[in-house]
Amino acid sequence: MNQPNLSALIWSIADLLRGDFKAYEYGYLDQQTSRLDCLISGAERSISLLQERRSALITAAMTGKIDVRGLVEA
């Protein structure tokens, strides 16, 4: 979810909070909150895996398991 969509979602929820609630609006809020929780969980999982991969690549380069000479011009 990109920043404009996330902002629109947050403002739409804020608009709902200002008015009288109807039963279906509670369900909508629960659904959107669950959706955001899933997105956050996935992003956190991806960040963790990328950090592990970065560490493994640095270790492999430092121990000579992979040759990184010539990959970047000086």
Side-chain angles (χ1 to χ4, degrees), residues 22-69:
K22 297 176 183 78
Y24 72 90
E25 291 172 338
Y26 285 111
Y28 173 77
L29 289 175
D30 284 340
Q31 180 186 33
Q32 295 303 314
T33 302
S34 295
R35 184 173 166 230
L36 287 174
D37 288 342
C38 289
L39 290 171
I40 291 168
S41 176
E44 289 172 343
R45 189 171 40 252
S46 295
I47 289 168
S48 177
L49 291 173
L50 287 169
Q51 288 172 336
E52 287 179 29
R53 177 69 175 148
R54 178 180 180 260
S55 294
L57 284 171
I58 290 170
T59 300
M62 296 301 292
T63 59
K65 291 183 181 178
I66 59 172
D67 186 11
V68 293
R69 292 175 290 172

